[in-house]
Amino acid sequence: MSCTHRHRGGAPVGYLTELTGPEAASVIYLRLWCEGGSRKQEIFGDFASVFECQQAEHLTQAFGELCRMCVQHGRRPLMRHSVQCKCLGGDEACFANFISYAADGEREDALLMATLMVRPDMAPLLTSLATEIGLAFKQMRLAAPSAVPTPTHQHATIH
C-alpha cells in the first residue's frame, strides 16, 4: 500500500539510522512482529542471546502483548513500513519515542503518548509493558542500524 493522505501515520519522517539502538529495535521488532510466523522467532532469538530462556520468552510475550494492545485498542490503525525499509514512518517514530520515554522513567510523557495510540483506559498497561521492554532493550546494548536495505516505500497497517 502506498502512502496517501488517508495513511499519514506511514509518511516518512526520518531514517532508522537516526534512532538510538533501543528506539530502532522498537521499530524493527514492531515490523517483525507484524510479519508474523518465523519473524516473531527472530525477536525471541535476539532476547535469548542476552537473557536466560525463561526471561527471553517472557520479554517476547510482553512485546507481543504490547503490539496486540495497539491492534485491539488502537485509536486508529498503526501504520508501519516493511521490514526492509530504511525509512521511519510517523507512527513508528511515535512508537519508538513512547518506548524510550517509558524506559527512561518519563512516565507522564509516556502515558501521554500512549493515549495517542490507544484508548485512555489502556494507556497505563501499555506504558508498563513499554517500560519493561524498553529497559530490556537498554540492557541489550543495541547499536543503531548502520547498513539498512534501501527503502521499498511499502506501508502497511497493523490489523
Side-chain angles (χ1 to χ4, degrees):
M1 173 175 359
S2 64
C3 183
T4 65
H5 291 291
R6 294 179 305 169
H7 305 291
R8 290 185 184 179
V13 296
Y15 295 97
L16 284 175
T17 55
E18 297 171 332
L19 300 177
T20 66
E23 291 169 342
S26 300
V27 174
I28 292 167
Y29 287 9
L30 172 67
R31 292 174 180 182
L32 290 171
W33 185 86
C34 291
E35 292 278 319
S38 65
R39 300 313 293 257
K40 290 182 182 180
Q41 282 302 111
E42 292 178 42
I43 297 169
F44 171 76
D46 284 354
F47 284 132
S49 70
V50 176
F51 301 100
E52 293 181 9
C53 187
Q54 189 174 14
Q55 181 67 9
E57 181 64 34
H58 170 76
L59 290 167
T60 302
Q61 290 176 355
F63 187 79
E65 182 60 22
L66 178 81
C67 294
R68 277 188 292 282
M69 286 184 67
C70 288
V71 172
Q72 293 173 353
H73 305 290
R75 299 174 73 76
R76 62 171 180 75
L78 185 64
M79 300 299 295
R80 63 180 172 80
H81 288 231
S82 68
V83 174
Q84 301 83 12
C85 188
K86 70 177 183 179
C87 293
L88 175 68
D91 285 354
E92 293 172 329
C94 183
F95 187 78
N97 281 309
F98 162 62
I99 291 176
S100 183
Y101 276 120
D104 288 345
E106 301 290 339
R107 185 161 174 81
E108 289 180 3
D109 289 333
L111 276 168
L112 180 61
M113 292 186 81
T115 61
L116 298 173
M117 296 186 297
V118 297
R119 296 186 340 225
D121 61 317
M122 294 285 113
L125 179 56
L126 193 73
T127 302
S128 293
L129 288 167
T131 301
E132 181 177 9
I133 294 300
L135 290 172
F137 287 161
K138 284 182 164 190
Q139 290 176 340
M140 293 169 76
R141 301 190 194 284
L142 299 164
S146 57
V148 180
T150 57
T152 60
H153 295 291
Q154 294 178 352
H155 308 208
T157 60
I158 296 179
H159 297 273

